[in-house]
Structure formats: C-alpha cells, structure tokens
Amino acid sequence: MNNLEKDLEAEISGGKTAAKNLTARIAKLDADTLKQQELIYNQDFTLQTLERRLWKMQGEVKSNAEEKALLAKVEELNEILNEKNQRHSLLSSQLKQLNEDM
C-alpha cells in the first residue's frame, strides 16, 4: 500500500498543481478580456465623438435638444432682424423728410 499511497499522493499533488495553473490561466484570460473590453469601449467612445463632430461639420443636427436650441436661436435672430429693418425704415423716412425740409 505504500506505493499505492505514494502514487495517489503524487496524482493528487499533480491535480492540485494543474488546478492552480488552470486557475492562474483563467485569471489571466479574464484580465485580458477586461483589457479588450476597455479598449473596445474607448474606441466606441472615440468613434461616437468623431461622428458627432462630423455631423456638426456637415450641418446635421443629432439630437432634438440641439435642433430646438438652433430653432430658438434662429427665431431670436429673425426678431432682431425685423427690429433692425423697422428702425432702418423709420430712419430712412426721417432722413427723406429732413432732406425735403432742407
């Protein structure tokens, strides 16, 4: 039984060593997977950022909030333009009246 016990102990020791090696390999593969997921996330984020910049350069609006903000700005600028046009008309008519009075 002595040889059988030694053989079994050697087999158990080998199994434990194999299990430790496999556990270490799994941990390494998990770390590699995490690094790859982080890299993919960063690339996706960079891609989205570049797409947004491209859309803005092409004049396309991505979100409703941006579109609403731009429409509000256009409306505000149109009101300012109307006020300026009215002031221009008034001043032009006053200038014409002054020229006639002279």
Side-chain angles (χ1 to χ4, degrees):
M1 281 235 238
N2 209 1
N3 282 338
L4 181 60
E5 285 178 15
K6 286 181 181 178
D7 288 344
L8 289 175
E9 284 179 10
E11 194 173 328
I12 290 171
S13 177
K16 286 181 180 180
T17 302
K20 282 182 186 178
N21 289 338
L22 289 174
T23 303
R25 188 168 179 201
I26 288 172
K28 185 183 180 306
L29 289 173
D30 285 343
D32 289 346
T33 301
L34 188 61
K35 285 180 185 177
Q36 288 176 353
Q37 287 174 344
E38 184 178 343
L39 190 96
I40 289 170
Y41 173 80
N42 288 334
Q43 289 175 341
D44 283 344
F45 181 78
T46 301
L47 179 62
Q48 289 174 358
T49 302
L50 291 173
E51 284 176 343
R52 274 188 244 115
R53 287 178 61 196
L54 180 62
W55 287 327
K56 284 184 181 183
M57 287 180 193
Q58 292 175 340
E60 295 179 17
V61 178
K62 175 78 173 149
S63 69
N64 287 337
E66 286 177 323
E67 187 173 357
K68 287 179 183 178
L70 289 174
L71 289 174
K73 185 69 173 175
V74 167
E75 187 175 327
E76 178 186 344
L77 291 173
N78 279 332
E79 288 176 15
I80 292 170
L81 178 62
N82 287 335
E83 289 174 11
K84 300 275 183 188
N85 284 336
Q86 288 174 356
R87 187 177 304 156
H88 178 267
S89 295
L90 176 66
L91 291 174
S92 293
S93 67
Q94 287 177 349
L95 180 61
K96 183 179 178 184
Q97 184 66 36
L98 286 173
N99 282 335
E100 289 175 4
D101 289 345
M102 286 177 48

